[in-house]
């Protein structure tokens, strides 16, 4: 019988990087779960060495998310209480983790009539209803938000004054499999909630979104469908009579699939698989989430969509560190290996999402084009932001096209994904057309910086689609004044063009940039404009 795992008895035989490299050589990413006893024994030794290497760096002393669990956000309770007093409040997805806790908090703040509409009730009608202290204060309906008539029935009967729209697909991996359900939930579900909120005179409607929508462009079904949901609510805020608000969440600890799956692997499996090393996750807790939802009632204003997020998310946590901590905590001598990235989690991070001239002010849920709208609340706990502008007409056309396609039950799911991404590109192109060319140029420069990409193990070719969108947004708009305003010298611009020249798919765009570069060389430029500027040193690893 083996003794309990004691990493202090294992001597470190290399750096973290060296040990990780040996694990990947032994079981290359994409390989099936190892079964060979000799390989498993070697993996056990390497895993123990990796734990020791992390401990030598002062890590694994406490649960990696311990600082997140203790955080809170100031709740503007008196104002929220006044807003919900005597109101009928509808929560879609009310039986989920966040929805259930939101109901508890609403009751605590004095709500007397809460309505929950949740698909879970359709799937498990005999399931025990959640228990709340105030009997009769909460009514539960079985309803899928994609079913317009079912949702309309609830609005007709209950006449809600406030709506919290939480119902959604929450698993990025499952979204790549259940494409039709994910897209229809975001597209049709949001449309139904908006239409009925306007029809029945709802006062406030708050939507819960995800930090993944801060990406300018994404090919992942989960994030792309959520972007369309945000755009629809933004359009409704500008055109409708309801006051809309939004919250961007990041990884929810109390509802964490990753943590649940990792704990299950450690408890039940003989091996522990992790997607890949050097993968990081930001997190928040349930109290923060619900306080954000309620505070959104306070900061939302008619005529525009404002969203709120946690101001200080702390440092991202490495998923490998979480796995190693759970192994260490279990006392088992379990081997770890890297299975490779799965659909829904494959997309490389685009460095142009952040303003690297202000690295200490980077926010992981807000991109450069949204950042100018950022406002910190009086308590200093949350930020309020607006979406970057886009064409409402383009959005309406693309949503209509998508509805026609997904309404055909014979239309293949994989084609739904292609149509979703194509439609997303059109809306993003309209947004980039609204953006200043100097902002787009800076985003491009930050996004394809060779030194930074090398540090992240990425290549320019990984970002060809977002690069193409940025270049289209700048086409015909670049000149000496734009470069000067962007703080980019002629030498730096020439380097940028050379870096892009390696992409065969962008030769037409590169040709345009070369013509701009030649023009800059031919005209008399101020001496300070041609001098190379030192590159700012980033202090945040935003992997």
């Amino acid at each position: 019988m083996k003794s309990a795992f004691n990493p202090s008895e294992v001597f470190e035989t290399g750096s973290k990087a060296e040990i990780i490299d040996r694990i990947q050589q032994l079981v290359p990413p994409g390989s099936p779960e190892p079964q060979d006893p000799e390989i498993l024994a070697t993996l056990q030794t390497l895993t123990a060495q990796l734990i020791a290497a992390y401990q030598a760096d002062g890590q694994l002393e406490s649960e990696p998310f311990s600082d997140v669990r203790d955080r809170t956000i100031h709740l503007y309770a008196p104002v929220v209480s006044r807003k919900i007093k005597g109101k009928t409040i509808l929560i879609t997805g009310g039986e989920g983790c966040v929805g259930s806790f939101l109901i508890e908090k609403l009751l605590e703040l004095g709500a007397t009539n809460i309505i929950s509409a949740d698909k879970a009730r359709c799937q498990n009608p005999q399931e025990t209803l959640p228990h709340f202290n105030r009997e009769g204060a909460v009514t539960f309906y079985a309803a899928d938000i994609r079913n317009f008539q079912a949702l309309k029935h609830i609005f007709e009967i209950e006449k809600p004054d406030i709506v919290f729209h939480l119902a959604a697909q929450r698993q990025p991996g499952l979204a790549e499999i259940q494409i039709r359900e994910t897209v229809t939930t975001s597209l049709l579900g949001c449309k139904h909630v908006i239409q009925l909120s306007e029809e029945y005179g709802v006062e406030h409607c708050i939507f819960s979104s995800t930090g993944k929508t801060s990406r300018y462009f994404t090919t992942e079904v989960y994030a792309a469908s959520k972007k369309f949901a945000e755009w629809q609510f933004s359009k409704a805020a500008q055109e409708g009579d309801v006051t809309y608000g939004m919250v961007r969440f990041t990884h929810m600890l109390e509802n964490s699939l990753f943590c649940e799956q990792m704990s299950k692997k450690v408890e039940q499996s003989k091996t522990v698989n992790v997607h890949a090393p050097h993968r990081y996750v930001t997190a928040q807790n349930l109290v923060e989430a619900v306080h954000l939802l309620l505070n959104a009632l306070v900061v939302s204003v008619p005529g525009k969509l404002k969203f709120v997020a946690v101001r200080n998310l702390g440092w991202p946590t490495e998923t490998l560190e979480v796995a190693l901590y759970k192994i260490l905590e279990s006392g088992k001598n379990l081997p770890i290996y890297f299975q490779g990235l799965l659909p829904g989690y494959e997309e490389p991070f685009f460095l142009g999402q952040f303003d690297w001239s202000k690295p200490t002010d980077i926010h992981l849920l807000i991109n450069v084009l949204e950042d100018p709208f950022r406002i910190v609340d009086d308590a200093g706990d949350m930020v309020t932001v607006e979406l970057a502008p886009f064409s409402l007409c383009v959005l309406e056309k693309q949503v209509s096209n998508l509805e026609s396609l997904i309404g055909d039950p014979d239309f293949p799911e994989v084609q739904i994904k292609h149509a979703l991404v194509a439609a997303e590109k059109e809306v993003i192109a309209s947004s980039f057309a609204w953006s200043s060319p100097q902002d787009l140029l800076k985003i491009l420069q930050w996004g394809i910086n060779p030194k930074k990409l090398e540090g992240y193990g990425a290549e320019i070719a990984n970002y060809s689609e977002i690069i193409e969108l940025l270049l289209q947004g700048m086409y015909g708009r670049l000149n000496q004044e734009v470069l000067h305003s962007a703080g980019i010298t002629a030498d730096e611009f020439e380097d940028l063009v050379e870096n892009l020249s390696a992409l065969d798919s962008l030769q037409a765009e590169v040709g345009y940039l070369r013509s701009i570069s030649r023009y800059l060389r031919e005209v008399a430029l101020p001496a300070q404009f041609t001098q190379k500027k030192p590159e700012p040193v980033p202090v945040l690893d935003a992997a």
Side-chain angles (χ1 to χ4, degrees):
M1 183 176 179
K2 291 185 178 180
S3 60
F5 173 42
N6 183 1
S8 64
E9 297 175 356
V10 181
F11 295 98
E12 182 181 358
T13 59
S15 67
K16 292 178 184 176
E18 291 170 337
I19 298 169
I20 289 171
D21 186 56
R22 289 166 63 191
I23 291 174
Q24 290 180 310
Q25 289 178 12
L26 196 63
V27 184
S31 302
E33 180 180 351
Q35 303 292 334
D36 185 282
E38 290 187 11
I39 291 179
L40 290 172
T42 305
L43 286 175
Q44 285 179 320
T45 301
L46 291 171
T47 301
Q49 291 172 355
L50 192 57
I51 289 175
Y54 270 75
Q55 289 178 318
D57 285 345
Q59 296 172 280
L60 306 183
E61 294 181 359
S62 61
E63 199 258 335
F65 290 119
S66 57
D67 60 327
V68 179
R69 296 188 188 280
D70 297 332
R71 285 193 327 227
T72 189
I73 282 179
H74 174 74
L75 175 65
Y76 294 91
V79 183
V80 173
S81 292
R82 288 196 295 271
K83 283 186 173 292
I84 67 174
K85 184 178 181 181
K87 305 294 185 180
T88 297
I89 303 169
L90 169 64
I91 303 172
T92 69
E95 295 184 52
C97 178
V98 177
S100 296
F101 192 68
L102 175 60
I103 290 175
E104 291 279 12
K105 196 66 181 181
L106 285 167
L107 291 172
E108 181 184 315
L109 291 169
T112 54
N113 189 22
I114 300 173
I115 314 301
S116 169
D118 201 306
K119 186 176 70 171
R121 186 64 44 203
C122 303
Q123 298 168 332
N124 302 291
Q126 303 305 319
E127 187 176 321
T128 303
L129 289 170
H131 174 74
F132 297 102
N133 294 328
R134 301 270 298 282
E135 295 295 334
V138 186
T139 303
F140 293 92
Y141 282 90
D144 188 322
I145 58 172
R146 296 174 299 168
N147 186 329
F148 180 77
Q149 292 304 322
L151 198 58
K152 182 179 176 66
H153 173 75
I154 298 172
F155 273 80
E156 178 65 34
I157 296 297
E158 302 294 347
K159 303 291 193 304
D161 304 293
I162 297 171
V163 174
F164 288 95
H165 179 35
L166 312 184
Q169 167 64 266
R170 74 182 184 99
Q171 301 184 42
L174 190 58
E176 298 294 327
I177 300 171
Q178 299 177 349
I179 299 174
R180 188 184 303 275
E181 179 175 342
T182 301
V183 175
T184 51
T185 298
S186 285
L187 218 65
L188 299 181
C190 289
K191 178 182 179 180
H192 295 163
V193 169
I194 290 168
Q195 182 177 336
L196 292 169
S197 292
E198 295 288 344
E199 182 178 341
Y200 285 89
V202 167
E203 297 170 11
H204 285 84
C205 179
I206 308 299
F207 169 59
S208 66
S209 188
T210 171
K212 289 180 180 289
T213 56
S214 63
R215 304 172 186 176
Y216 305 114
F217 168 73
T218 175
T219 59
E220 292 179 358
V221 173
Y222 173 79
S225 63
K226 280 286 195 177
K227 285 184 75 70
F228 269 97
E230 288 193 356
W231 287 328
Q232 286 185 95
F233 275 100
S234 179
K235 182 175 184 292
Q238 295 174 62
E239 298 180 339
D241 297 322
V242 177
T243 297
Y244 294 92
M246 191 175 82
V247 176
R248 269 191 192 163
F249 293 144
T250 186
H251 196 79
M252 197 75 60
L253 286 184
E254 293 86 346
N255 197 30
S256 169
L257 285 171
F258 164 69
C259 290
E260 290 173 11
Q261 292 168 356
M262 196 57 64
S263 296
K264 187 175 181 179
K265 291 172 189 174
V266 170
E267 180 182 346
Q268 302 178 3
S269 303
K270 296 180 180 179
T271 61
V272 175
N273 58 309
V274 179
H275 286 168
H278 317 305
R279 302 286 291 187
Y280 295 82
V281 61
T282 55
Q284 67 183 107
N285 63 57
L286 200 52
V287 171
E288 289 177 313
V290 168
H291 285 192
L292 284 174
L293 286 166
L294 294 170
N295 284 344
L297 284 174
V298 178
V299 304
S300 58
V301 297
K304 63 175 64 176
L305 181 68
K306 290 179 176 287
F307 71 85
V308 295
V310 175
R311 182 191 180 192
N312 180 16
L313 289 168
W315 291 98
T317 299
E318 188 183 21
T319 55
L320 174 56
E321 181 183 355
V322 176
L324 294 175
Y325 178 82
K326 288 187 176 293
I327 292 173
L328 181 63
E329 186 182 38
S330 73
K332 299 178 181 179
N333 187 9
L334 292 173
I336 203 166
Y337 73 98
F338 303 104
Q339 69 180 117
L341 299 178
L342 301 177
Y345 303 93
E346 299 172 298
E347 200 159 86
F349 181 80
F350 183 59
L351 295 173
Q353 184 163 320
F354 300 144
D355 183 344
W356 290 92
S357 68
K358 301 183 293 183
T360 58
D361 201 29
I362 283 173
H363 195 291
L364 296 172
L365 308 186
I366 303 170
N367 66 47
V368 171
L369 298 179
E370 296 166 339
D371 192 69
F373 302 101
R374 188 196 317 191
I375 299 173
V376 179
D377 75 316
D378 293 338
D381 294 335
M382 72 179 190
V383 292
T384 304
V385 192
E386 294 177 32
L387 297 183
F390 60 92
S391 169
L392 302 185
C393 293
V394 171
L395 175 67
E396 185 173 3
K397 178 181 177 181
Q398 296 306 319
V399 169
S400 178
N401 290 342
L402 285 171
E403 285 180 2
S404 297
L405 295 175
I406 60 181
D408 180 359
D410 296 324
F411 193 69
E413 295 216 13
V414 66
Q415 293 301 320
I416 292 177
K417 177 174 180 176
H418 295 328
L420 176 70
V421 172
E424 178 197 5
K425 283 185 177 181
E426 294 297 321
V427 183
I428 293 167
S430 78
S431 180
F432 285 175
W434 279 84
S435 306
S436 71
Q438 50 264 42
D439 280 345
L440 299 180
L441 186 57
K442 287 189 291 186
I443 289 168
L444 180 62
Q445 185 189 40
W446 290 321
I448 66 170
N449 183 300
K451 292 182 180 179
K452 290 191 178 76
L453 288 179
E454 184 179 356
Y456 285 92
E459 300 177 353
I460 293 177
N462 298 141
Y463 309 100
S464 59
E465 290 180 289
I466 179 60
I467 291 171
E468 183 176 3
L469 286 166
L470 288 166
L471 292 175
Q472 289 173 358
M474 290 184 281
Y475 190 81
R477 305 169 69 193
L478 294 178
N479 54 40
Q480 177 182 336
E481 184 180 346
V482 168
L483 267 68
H484 186 61
S485 177
I488 296 176
T489 68
D491 289 339
E492 289 172 329
F493 186 72
E494 191 171 320
D495 290 342
L496 183 148
V497 176
E498 287 305 311
N499 291 332
L500 290 173
S501 65
L503 297 178
D504 294 335
S505 61
L506 299 175
Q507 290 311 300
E509 290 85 352
V510 169
Y512 165 68
L513 296 179
R514 285 194 191 282
S515 68
I516 298 295
S517 183
R518 282 195 301 270
Y519 170 77
L520 293 174
R521 289 299 181 191
E522 292 169 0
V523 298
L525 295 175
Q528 69 270 22
F529 184 55
T530 58
Q531 292 174 355
K532 197 84 168 178
K533 296 182 180 180
E535 182 179 346
V537 179
V539 297
L540 172 64
D541 179 2

